[in-house]
Amino acid sequence: MKICKVCAQSDMLCAACQKKLEDGQIKQAEVDFYRAVKELGVELVDVLERGNRLYVIADSNNSRKIIGPGGKTIRKISEQLGKQIKVLEKTEGTDKEVIEKLIGVPVKGVNTVYSPSESYKIRLDKKYRKMAEPLKSVVSEIIGKKITFVFE
Ligand SMILES: [Zn+2]
């Protein structure tokens, strides 16, 4: 989480978070999302902006709260912020299990590549290309490793 717990629950930013916003480490839309869900009392792993889309990463319990009954809550927030919002679920487990849950499709295998620096080659069935490819940078940021998808 790039914003501190205090700021995630308040309407103001502390000096440290304000500086991150000014330096571009946090984006305004990400801060806006924390503000929008403040009343829900949810805990988020992270919020990442990519283009006009916000990726919200949370565990299954918090994901359910953000989505709301029949998707009602998430639709409201989406309209309010003028952004498409996609909730990605993060579980505990091996990197393979975490990646599988994040992208929501079965992973055939995760190969570690050690050159030039450590990264993951994630093997997926080619029918999931359209679903998985847009999530590459988000998955990479969440697991803290460079990744490439291989569709086979
Ligand atoms: Zn703060």
Side-chain angles (χ1 to χ4, degrees), residues 2-8 12-18:
K2 286 173 288 183
I3 189 173
C4 75
K5 278 206 161 156
V6 177
C7 288
M12 306 231 314
L13 288 181
C14 69
C17 290
Q18 183 64 40

